[in-house]
């Protein structure tokens, strides 16, 4: 690739003599030179054709794809909502059947009691009692170019930390925006929203916890604890509000608790000391 | 000349009809290589028309250009510098240059004579 005129690829010999020179380093092919060139053309054509095929097969606009995915999410969410309504109805029916069974006294009173306790422990019943309500809100203003937008919004990890702290401080029931936190609850960010139990929600997040309200608040206000970890958000205009109350109610878990893979094993149950 | 054009048409047909889908990652390499190969083919045609064709020079040039173009693209990807643009500019320029020679070879103008425009292009 020294100079464009004397490139070997051109088929021009490095030191080309005059075309009419009798002593040429190259053999004269007549018309046979066309054969290798045509062969190269075939290779080239295959490359071009494959490339053309690949380019035309690719979706031209990315935004189109995004819209489709959004549509899909919306459809699936609608489906999910319908199914969860169905689930609630089924639960209600089940409760009626249990009640009826209890009345017929085919199920012993003790079993009935045990069943009720299990339901409470699993978070399938609503709960009332003293507790604390924590509200987390995003900052109202938008970040300036030099500011980190991370600290302007509430993240899934913030909610996770809060819920974790509440459990550790003795909370007995916790919900995030009326989604009960149970054994299989997940809290995670998906884009600008947070999913709790697979339900999409946006700020502000209201976390309710039933338990010793003053202990709960003290735990959150502990130096180096949850409230301190939210200092950046508060500084940028976000909000963390805590309200103790004598009486608040927490919704039951209304999602699915079907086990498809796991199953209990023999002797795997630990008898709890009954403490009611 | 007809053989060359037929070869190209045949290749394109094979390429379009072949069920193989090119992965997205290699698409850029193929397009740069395609340009390099096109330059070689035009150069070979020109040499043939000027009765200076040498098979070894043509074959080695064709394949080394293909590989070098792909290699440049690959290195550019690794370094974060779009080196393949150098290949595109160089080969693109040479394609037009060769095409100009071929045109004049076919029209029967003496190849030794250069137009002022040609000098302008090759002197950069």
């Amino acid at each position: 690739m020294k100079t464009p005129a004397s490139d070997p690829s051109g088929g021009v010999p490095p030191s080309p003599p005059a075309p009419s020179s009798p002593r040429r380093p190259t053999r004269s092919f007549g018309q046979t030179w066309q054969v290798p060139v045509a062969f190269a053309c075939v290779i080239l054509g295959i490359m071009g054709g494959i490339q053309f095929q690949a380019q035309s097969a690719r979706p031209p606009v990315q935004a189109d794809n995004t819209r489709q995915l959004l549509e899909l999410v919306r459809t699936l969410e609608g489906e999910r909502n319908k199914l969860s309504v169905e689930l609630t109805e089924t639960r209600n029916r089940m409760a009626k059947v249990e009640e009826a069974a209890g009345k017929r006294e085919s199920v012993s009173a003790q079993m009935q009691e045990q069943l009720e306790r299990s339901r409470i422990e699993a978070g399938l019943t609503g709960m009332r009692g003293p507790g604390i309500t924590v509200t987390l809100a995003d900052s109202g203003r938008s970040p300036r170019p030099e500011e980190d937008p991370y600290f302007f919004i509430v993240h899934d990890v913030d909610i996770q930390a809060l819920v974790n702290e509440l459990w550790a401080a003795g909370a007995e029931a916790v919900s995030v925006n009326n989604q009960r936190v149970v054994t299989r609850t997940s809290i995670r960010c998906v884009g600008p929203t947070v999913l709790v139990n697979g339900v999409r929600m946006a700020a502000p997040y209201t976390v309710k916890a039933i338990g010793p309200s003053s202990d709960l608040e003290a735990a959150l206000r502990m130096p180096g604890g949850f409230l301190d970890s939210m200092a950046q958000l508060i500084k940028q205009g976000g909000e963390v509000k805590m309200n103790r109350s004598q009486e608040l109610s927490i919704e039951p878990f209304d999602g699915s608790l079907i086990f498809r893979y796991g199953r209990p094993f023999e002797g795997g149950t630990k008898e709890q000391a009954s403490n009611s | 000349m007809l053989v060359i054009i037929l070869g190209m048409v045949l290749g394109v047909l094979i390429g379009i009809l072949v069920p193989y889908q090119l992965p997205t990652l290699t698409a850029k390499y193929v397009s740069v290589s395609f340009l390099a190969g096109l330059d070689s083919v035009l150069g070979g045609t020109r040499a043939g028309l000027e009765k200076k064709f040498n098979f070894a020079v043509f074959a080695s040039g064709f394949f080394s250009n293909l590989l070098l173009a792909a290699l440049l693209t690959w290195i550019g990807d690794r370094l974060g510098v779009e080196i393949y643009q150098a290949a595109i500019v160089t080969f693109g320029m040479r394609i037009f240059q060769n095409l100009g020679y071929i045109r004049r070879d076919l029209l029967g103008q003496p190849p030794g004579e250069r137009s002022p425009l040609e000098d302008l292009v090759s002197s950069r």
Side-chain angles (χ1 to χ4, degrees), chain A residues 1 3-14 16-17 19 24-55 57-58, chain B residues 1 3-4 7-8 10-12 14-16 18-22 24 27 30-31 33-34 37-41 43-49 51-55 57-58 61-63 65-66 68 91 94 97:
Chain A
M1 293 223 155
T3 57
S6 70
D7 192 274
S9 68
V12 186
R24 267 205 300 260
T26 53
R27 278 171 290 150
S28 185
F29 274 82
Q31 290 296 301
T32 46
W33 63 269
Q34 292 196 359
V35 176
V37 173
F39 180 72
C41 269
V42 173
I43 296 179
L44 213 57
I46 292 175
M47 283 167 65
I50 286 185
Q51 176 75 1
F52 174 80
Q53 193 190 355
Q55 290 291 346
R58 214 154 291 146
Chain B
M1 214 56 201
V3 187
I4 296 170
M8 191 63 134
L10 180 73
V12 170
I14 293 175
I16 288 180
V18 90
Y20 172 70
Q21 274 278 344
L22 207 65
T24 320
V30 172
S31 48
S33 289
F34 177 80
L38 195 64
D39 170 57
S40 293
V41 164
T45 308
R46 173 191 157 206
L49 288 174
K51 307 230 184 314
K52 290 188 286 187
F53 186 82
N54 180 317
F55 176 74
V57 171
F58 172 74
F62 180 73
F63 289 107
N65 268 8
L66 287 190
L68 184 69
F91 288 126
R94 287 162 42 89
Q97 220 173 328

Side-chain angles (χ1 to χ4, degrees), chain B residues 46-117:
Chain B
R46 173 191 157 206
L49 288 174
E50 292 174 4
K51 307 230 184 314
K52 290 188 286 187
F53 186 82
N54 180 317
F55 176 74
V57 171
F58 172 74
S60 64
F62 180 73
F63 289 107
S64 67
N65 268 8
L66 287 190
L67 292 179
L68 184 69
L71 190 72
L72 271 183
T73 314
W74 183 79
I75 291 174
D77 273 355
R78 290 294 153 290
L79 295 179
V81 185
E82 313 233 309
I83 302 180
Y84 74 93
Q85 286 179 348
I88 288 182
V89 169
T90 310
F91 288 126
M93 216 173 73
R94 287 162 42 89
I95 284 172
F96 284 110
Q97 220 173 328
N98 279 329
L99 208 61
Y101 281 122
I102 291 170
R103 206 182 59 240
R104 277 189 290 146
D105 284 340
L106 288 176
L107 290 177
Q109 215 168 333
E113 219 166 84
R114 299 165 77 93
S115 76
L117 191 74

Side-chain angles (χ1 to χ4, degrees), chain A residues 31-257:
Chain A
Q31 290 296 301
T32 46
W33 63 269
Q34 292 196 359
V35 176
V37 173
F39 180 72
C41 269
V42 173
I43 296 179
L44 213 57
I46 292 175
M47 283 167 65
I50 286 185
Q51 176 75 1
F52 174 80
Q53 193 190 355
Q55 290 291 346
S56 51
R58 214 154 291 146
V61 190
Q62 197 68 34
D64 240 33
N65 205 356
T66 314
R67 222 178 42 221
Q68 271 177 7
L69 286 177
L70 270 176
E71 198 53 48
L72 188 69
V73 167
R74 238 168 261 146
T75 319
L76 286 177
E77 260 177 12
E79 216 167 286
R80 199 199 65 88
N81 286 342
K82 227 166 47 196
L83 285 175
S84 86
V85 167
E86 234 167 80
L87 185 70
T88 315
E89 279 169 9
T90 314
R91 282 241 170 86
N92 288 341
R93 246 197 342 263
M94 200 171 85
K96 264 182 209 140
V97 170
E98 275 166 14
E99 209 179 321
K103 270 180 191 148
R104 265 191 273 128
E105 282 174 329
S106 59
V107 181
S108 73
Q110 199 193 346
M111 260 178 97
Q112 186 73 29
E113 192 191 318
Q114 207 170 7
L115 184 67
E116 191 55 33
R117 221 181 71 204
S118 299
R119 287 168 62 89
I120 292 169
E121 283 170 359
L124 296 178
T125 54
M127 278 231 160
R128 287 194 306 165
I132 188 172
T133 307
V134 184
T135 310
L136 305 176
D138 293 348
S139 171
R141 68 186 179 89
S142 42
R144 287 195 294 274
E146 76 276 13
E147 291 173 318
D148 189 351
Y150 183 89
F151 295 115
F152 281 69
I153 51 176
V154 179
H155 294 275
D156 53 353
V157 284
D158 301 331
I159 302 171
Q160 283 166 12
L162 172 58
V163 170
N164 202 33
E165 197 58 57
L166 288 170
W167 287 131
E172 290 167 358
V174 176
S175 76
V176 181
N177 279 14
N178 287 333
Q179 277 300 316
R180 184 73 170 265
V181 179
V182 292
T183 47
R184 280 163 71 178
T185 293
S186 63
I187 299 172
R188 67 193 167 105
C189 269
V190 175
T193 56
V194 168
L195 293 185
V196 178
N197 286 341
V199 175
R200 226 160 26 133
M201 50 186 66
Y205 305 98
T206 308
V207 179
K208 290 193 281 189
I210 289 176
S213 54
S214 51
D215 286 5
L216 294 179
E217 186 169 356
L220 298 181
R221 290 188 186 281
M222 197 166 60
F226 174 75
L227 199 63
D228 282 359
S229 77
M230 302 303 287
Q232 282 279 6
L233 178 79
I234 295 167
K235 206 176 94 188
Q236 309 295 2
E239 251 188 322
V240 179
K241 275 194 297 193
M242 297 184 196
N243 271 326
R244 275 193 278 167
S245 47
Q246 283 309 303
E247 184 79 8
L248 55 85
S249 64
I250 290 185
E251 304 279 306
F253 177 68
D254 62 357
S256 149
L257 276 177

